[in-house]
Amino acid sequence: MEDHLPEPLRAVEHEVTALLRRGRVLSWEIAREVHPDLEPNAYGLLLWLRRCDSVRLTDLAARLGVGKGTLSRQITGLEALGLVRRDPDPTDRRAWRLSLTEEGQRRFDAARASRLGSLRRTLRSWPTRDVEEFGRLLRRFNDALD
């Protein structure tokens, strides 16, 4: 059946697979930079918290496409590491707002700076136009997946 796939589609599959494999390794490395006990999938969660500044657990669970129970367990682990805090939602007494602690923000920003430095080194020989196009196409691909 694979022989019937168009060559460009096979090439995209191969490259996406390679990117995901590298991404898993990178996630482990970056998570360890944030905190030695941090699970690798938590980096993406921290990234969303950094972007949102403060967000309700239900809203974050919907955005990430995970169950509230799963996310709550992850948040509890991040709280135990001192990276995330829950504050009462002033508009709804039953809800909590999640945000990074100062330590969580500091550690995340340092790990992110390292990650961006690595990307900068990888792409430094690319023309700016190519980097912009690459970002645009990745966004288009990710948006199509959502």
Side-chain angles (χ1 to χ4, degrees):
M1 181 155 78
E2 183 175 314
D3 293 336
H4 295 82
L5 292 175
E7 182 56 35
L9 187 57
R10 276 187 279 188
V12 167
E13 179 199 27
H14 174 78
E15 297 305 327
V16 167
T17 300
L19 182 64
L20 292 173
R21 185 182 66 247
R22 285 185 177 99
R24 282 189 297 274
V25 170
L26 185 61
S27 289
W28 276 101
E29 293 171 0
I30 292 173
R32 296 295 176 248
E33 285 183 45
V34 173
H35 192 284
D37 298 325
L38 188 66
E39 292 293 325
N41 60 352
Y43 180 81
L45 177 55
L46 295 176
L47 175 63
W48 277 105
L49 288 172
R50 184 67 170 106
R51 284 181 184 164
C52 296
D53 190 43
S54 173
V55 64
R56 289 176 59 164
L57 186 131
T58 53
D59 295 337
L60 186 58
R63 176 64 187 133
L64 297 175
V66 299
K68 290 187 295 184
T70 299
L71 184 58
S72 183
R73 284 188 295 281
Q74 290 176 326
I75 293 297
T76 297
L78 293 171
E79 283 179 300
L81 296 175
L83 303 174
V84 172
R85 72 172 180 263
R86 293 182 209 228
D87 296 309
D89 187 332
T91 63
D92 183 350
R93 289 183 172 188
R94 300 164 297 161
W96 297 90
R97 298 204 61 89
L98 307 171
S99 59
L100 294 178
T101 62
E102 286 184 28
E103 179 68 6
Q105 189 170 331
R106 185 188 66 73
R107 287 176 175 255
F108 176 84
D109 289 350
R112 188 173 195 202
S114 174
R115 181 181 194 179
L116 290 173
S118 177
L119 273 173
R120 187 175 290 115
R121 287 186 297 280
T122 299
L123 298 172
R124 79 172 140 225
S125 65
W126 290 30
T128 301
R129 179 180 51 230
D130 288 355
V131 175
E132 291 168 349
E133 181 70 359
F134 184 55
R136 186 188 69 74
L137 290 171
L138 282 173
R139 177 178 299 129
R140 182 175 167 193
F141 181 76
N142 284 321
D143 287 349
L145 293 173
D146 287 340

